[in-house]
Structures are given as C-alpha cells and as structure tokens.
C-alpha cells in the first residue's frame, strides 16, 4: 500500500468523477463553444457573486493572469514572503508582468492591514508604483493556516483607500471555507480577483478558475491565450470540476481531521522538535538537530510512506481524497512505533 502524503495534488479522479467526465458535452472552447466549460465558469462566477470566470489549466497560470490584469511593468505587488506567487511560480511575476514583489515578513504566510500600509511605496516618481496586494488562503508554506476574515476586511479597506487591486490565491480556499464557516459570497465581495484550484483537495486531474467582475476580467481571455492556455474540448476537464464542486467540498473536513490526528502523533516523537498548528490538511513539522532530514524521509519511504522536505529540517505532509481510513490507521500505527523507539 503506497501512502502518498507529498501533496493533495497527487489525487486521481474517482470512478464517479470519471463517469461525469465521460458524459460531458464538449465543443471548441477557443470559439467559446464548449457547453461544459461555460457551465463550470458560470457556476463558479455565481458562487462568488462575480460577473465573470475563466477556466485555466493551472493555478499558476490563473495567478499570473491576475497579476497581469492588475499591473503594468515596473510596478510592485505586495505579498507575504511565503507567497506561492513569489516562491513557486518560477519568477513569473517578473517574467510575465515585469513587476517586483514587496515581501511582508508575516506570520505563517499571513499579515496585517498595518503591515500593508507600511509596505505601500510613497507616491514619488523614483519609487516603484504599488498596484496590487495579494494574499493566500489557506497559506501553503504557512502550513494550511486560515486567515481571520476581519483582517481581510481591514486590508480591503487599505486597498480601497490607496487604489490598489486585491487578489486572492485561493488554491485551497475550499479548505478554509469548510474550516472557518466563512461564506464564499463574502470572499467574492471583498476581492477583485480570486483564483481557485480544482486539482488539489477537490481531486480533479487538472484545472483552476479565475473569477472577477467584467471590468478587470476584460483582457483575461487574451492574457490566457498569450500564456498558451487556450484549450479546445476542455469540457471533459470542466466536468470533473463541476462534479468536484458538487461532491468533494464538504468532505474536506475529513482530511482536516486526519491531518490534526497526524499532527498530534508527531508531537510525541522524540525526533520531532515542533509541529506547526494544524488547521486544515497540511502538516508542517521540524526535526531535531540530531535527526537527518533525508534519512527520516527515506525511512518512511522504505515503508511506502511518501512525504516531502521543505529545507531547514522542515517536512510537510498533506492529507487528501485518496488518503483513506485504512492508510490513515496504518500510518498512525507506524508513527506510534516510531514514538516507542
Ligand atoms: C498549488 C498552488 C497553486 C497553483 O499551482 P499549480 O500547480 O500551478 O496548479 C497556487 N497557489 C498555491 C498556494 C498553491 O498551493
């Protein structure tokens, strides 16, 4: 039995999802004639109360498109030092949009409205023009932490007062929503643009969606085309997204429960120095000085358990749709044995 906890992107479509995909009605989406893609976009736009949505092959492309829509070359984006757009999108913000990132030294990937105010450049010609604030919910490198919606509202206010765009990288927004009971419509009201992933916790093989009102989304199609993201009979993929939104959102709670249980077991291991608070489906923990990171990962791999290192003796595990009860019980047994050593 392979137990793959490297990421929630390793999921494969369930049989019911595959059936939904095979039954999809499709057309050429470049002519905007794929009824299933159109249905998914309408569905996600409606969920957020936004005027427009666009289906993307990846979350990276959805975020990169948002940055392009909000900025001009030479301008600056405010984000956390842990931000996916800064760390894990191959320098795309500078490559695609010619912008730099002003990094906030936040807490687990989150920051305050006050820190945003401090990060906005003065309105003098020799500074880069600040044009966008970007946040991530849940935070990836921050260990799946969920934002406090009150802080998001305060940042929205700062953006409004300073004429800044506000983008949410909501790759795992679904996890935040089921954990906090915040409403999806609330999020739609506060952000100018939001990207969401269908291929993480929701279990689709491919796909992300970017939403926003018509004005900001006006050039989204063109930008996606420039980035090479036009797809043709993409309805087969969109059908997976529709299925996932209808069937795989509330069950994320189960992933969170399992992650919290893993976190609690890890605190009992002598080789573990600390475990970051587990709020959703990501567990980040740090090994003791004496414990070699590669060896720890290899020892688990020898027992068909796969996790990833994040550098500096930090390791990550992510629970997901394909990590079932049997795997979970087996993994907890193994951790128990390690604790007794
Ligand atoms: C996974 C992820 C993305 C998008 O990743 P893709 O692999 O391009 O789909 C964006 N933001 C965050 C926080 C992520 O975890």
């Amino acid at each position: 039995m392979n137990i793959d906890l490297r990421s929630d992107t390793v999921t494969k479509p369930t049989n019911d999802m595959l059936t939904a995909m095979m039954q999809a009605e499709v057309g050429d989406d470049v002519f905007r004639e794929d009824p299933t893609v159109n249905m998914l976009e309408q569905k996600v736009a409606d969920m957020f109360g936004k005027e427009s949505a666009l289906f993307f092959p990846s979350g990276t492309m959805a975020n990169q498109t948002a940055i392009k829509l909000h900025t001009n070359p030479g301008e600056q984006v405010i984000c956390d030092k842990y931000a996916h757009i800064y760390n894990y999108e191959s320098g795309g913000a500078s490559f695609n949009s010619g912008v730099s990132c002003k990094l906030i030294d936040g807490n687990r990937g989150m920051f305050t409205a006050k820190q945003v105010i401090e990060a906005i450049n003065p309105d003098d010609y020799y500074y880069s023009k600040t044009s966008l604030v970007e946040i991530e919910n849940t935070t990836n490198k921050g260990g799946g932490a969920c934002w406090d919606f009150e802080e998001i509202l305060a940042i929205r206010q700062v953006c409004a007062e300073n004429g800044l765009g506000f983008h949410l990288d909501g790759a795992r927004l679904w996890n935040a929503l089921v954990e906090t009971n915040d409403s999806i419509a609330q999020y739609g009201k506060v952000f100018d643009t939001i990207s969401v992933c269908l291929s993480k916790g929701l279990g689709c093989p491919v796909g992300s969606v970017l939403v926003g009102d018509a004005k900001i989304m006006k050039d989204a199609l063109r930008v996606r085309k420039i980035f090479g993201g036009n797809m043709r009979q993409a309805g087969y993929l969109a059908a997976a997204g529709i299925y996932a939104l209808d069937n795989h959102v509330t069950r994320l709670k189960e992933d969170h429960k399992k992650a919290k249980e893993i976190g609690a077991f890890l605190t009992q291991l002598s080789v573990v120095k600390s475990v970051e608070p587990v709020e959703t489906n990501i567990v980040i923990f740090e090994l003791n000085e004496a414990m070699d990171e590669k060896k720890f990962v290899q020892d688990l791999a020898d027992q068909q358990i796969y996790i990833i290192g994040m550098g500096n003796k930090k390791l990550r595990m992510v629970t997901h749709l394909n990590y079932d009860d049997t795997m979970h019980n087996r993994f907890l047994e193994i951790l128990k044995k390690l604790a007794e050593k």
Side-chain angles (χ1 to χ4, degrees), residues 8-9 57-61 63 84-85 89 136-141 169-172 195 197 199-200 207-208 316:
D8 46 7
T9 55
S58 74
T60 297
M61 197 189 283
N63 281 336
H84 194 277
I85 60 161
E89 300 191 4
E136 205 172 295
N137 200 15
T138 67
T139 64
N140 179 344
K141 203 170 150 74
D169 176 350
R172 294 190 181 81
S195 64
C197 273
S199 61
K200 297 232 161 106
S208 281
R316 190 186 82 167

Side-chain angles (χ1 to χ4, degrees), residues 105-131:
D105 186 17
N107 175 28
R108 303 185 71 211
M110 302 175 293
F111 44 83
T112 64
K114 184 165 168 282
Q115 284 177 299
V116 174
I117 292 169
E118 288 162 5
I120 298 171
N121 284 332
D123 188 15
D124 276 322
Y125 72 90
Y126 41 84
Y127 286 102
S128 171
K129 182 172 182 276
T130 306
S131 44

Side-chain angles (χ1 to χ4, degrees), residues 26-35 37-38 231-234:
V26 297
D28 190 335
D29 182 51
V30 175
F31 293 119
R32 309 263 53 208
E33 281 173 4
D34 187 302
V37 170
N38 293 342
M231 296 181 282
R232 300 288 177 172
Q233 285 72 26

Side-chain angles (χ1 to χ4, degrees), residues 66-122:
I67 293 169
K68 186 72 198 160
L69 295 176
H70 282 284
T71 62
N72 291 303
E75 296 179 354
Q76 203 160 65
V77 179
I78 293 174
C79 63
D80 190 87
K81 66 179 188 294
Y82 280 0
H84 194 277
I85 60 161
Y86 174 72
N87 290 288
Y88 304 123
E89 300 191 4
S90 316
S94 56
F95 189 95
N96 296 313
S97 298
V99 297
S100 55
C101 293
K102 177 78 134 296
L103 301 180
I104 293 183
D105 186 17
N107 175 28
R108 303 185 71 211
M110 302 175 293
F111 44 83
T112 64
K114 184 165 168 282
Q115 284 177 299
V116 174
I117 292 169
E118 288 162 5
I120 298 171
N121 284 332

Side-chain angles (χ1 to χ4, degrees), residues 41-319:
E41 291 176 348
Q42 190 64 53
K43 184 180 176 76
V44 179
D46 289 347
M47 288 169 90
F48 283 98
K50 288 290 195 198
E51 292 167 355
S52 176
L54 193 62
F55 186 45
F56 282 82
S58 74
T60 297
M61 197 189 283
N63 281 336
Q64 290 299 318
T65 297
I67 293 169
K68 186 72 198 160
L69 295 176
H70 282 284
T71 62
N72 291 303
E75 296 179 354
Q76 203 160 65
V77 179
I78 293 174
C79 63
D80 190 87
K81 66 179 188 294
Y82 280 0
H84 194 277
I85 60 161
Y86 174 72
N87 290 288
Y88 304 123
E89 300 191 4
S90 316
S94 56
F95 189 95
N96 296 313
S97 298
V99 297
S100 55
C101 293
K102 177 78 134 296
L103 301 180
I104 293 183
D105 186 17
N107 175 28
R108 303 185 71 211
M110 302 175 293
F111 44 83
T112 64
K114 184 165 168 282
Q115 284 177 299
V116 174
I117 292 169
E118 288 162 5
I120 298 171
N121 284 332
D123 188 15
D124 276 322
Y125 72 90
Y126 41 84
Y127 286 102
S128 171
K129 182 172 182 276
T130 306
S131 44
L132 175 65
V133 176
E134 189 265 4
I135 77 165
E136 205 172 295
N137 200 15
T138 67
T139 64
N140 179 344
K141 203 170 150 74
C146 302
W147 280 73
D148 175 359
F149 197 74
E150 289 302 313
E151 200 62 54
I152 293 178
L153 281 176
I155 295 175
R156 160 83 272 176
Q157 185 64 27
V158 172
C159 289
E161 285 166 7
N162 292 275
L164 309 178
F166 197 19
H167 173 68
L168 171 67
D169 176 350
R172 294 190 181 81
L173 181 61
W174 315 110
N175 296 83
L177 290 174
V178 302
E179 197 57 33
T180 60
N181 295 319
D182 288 339
S183 82
I184 189 165
Q186 259 175 295
Y187 275 82
K189 277 208 191 92
V190 165
F191 290 93
D192 299 312
T193 49
I194 300 174
S195 64
V196 290
C197 273
L198 304 167
S199 61
K200 297 232 161 106
L202 297 195
C204 293
V206 169
S208 281
V209 179
L210 179 68
V211 298
D213 280 335
K215 190 162 167 255
I216 185 83
M217 292 291 282
K218 184 171 73 69
D219 291 326
L221 257 182
R222 176 173 283 121
V223 173
R224 188 184 69 174
K225 169 70 179 170
I226 291 168
F227 290 169
N230 263 9
M231 296 181 282
R232 300 288 177 172
Q233 285 72 26
Y236 295 115
L237 300 172
I242 293 169
Y243 179 86
L245 288 171
D246 290 341
N247 297 283
H248 289 172
V249 178
T250 47
R251 66 150 302 287
L252 291 170
K253 272 257 176 204
E254 296 168 34
D255 298 343
H256 299 178
K257 182 167 169 281
K258 290 192 176 92
K260 286 169 191 174
E261 286 169 4
I262 293 171
F265 264 82
L266 285 173
T267 57
Q268 295 166 27
L269 301 194
S270 60
V271 294
V272 171
K273 184 171 162 193
S274 61
V275 183
E276 290 186 13
V278 183
E279 291 183 38
T280 53
N281 68 331
I282 301 177
V283 184
I284 292 181
F285 61 104
E286 197 176 336
L287 296 172
N288 277 328
E289 286 305 318
M291 189 68 210
D292 182 62
E293 177 182 326
K294 286 214 177 79
K295 183 177 179 319
F296 187 85
V297 172
Q298 189 56 48
D299 283 351
L300 286 178
D302 290 343
Q303 306 183 70
Q304 278 84 50
I305 293 162
Y306 304 98
I307 71 170
I308 56 169
M310 304 186 80
N312 297 328
K313 299 218 180 255
K314 277 194 179 176
L315 299 166
R316 190 186 82 167
M317 303 180 189
V318 190
T319 57

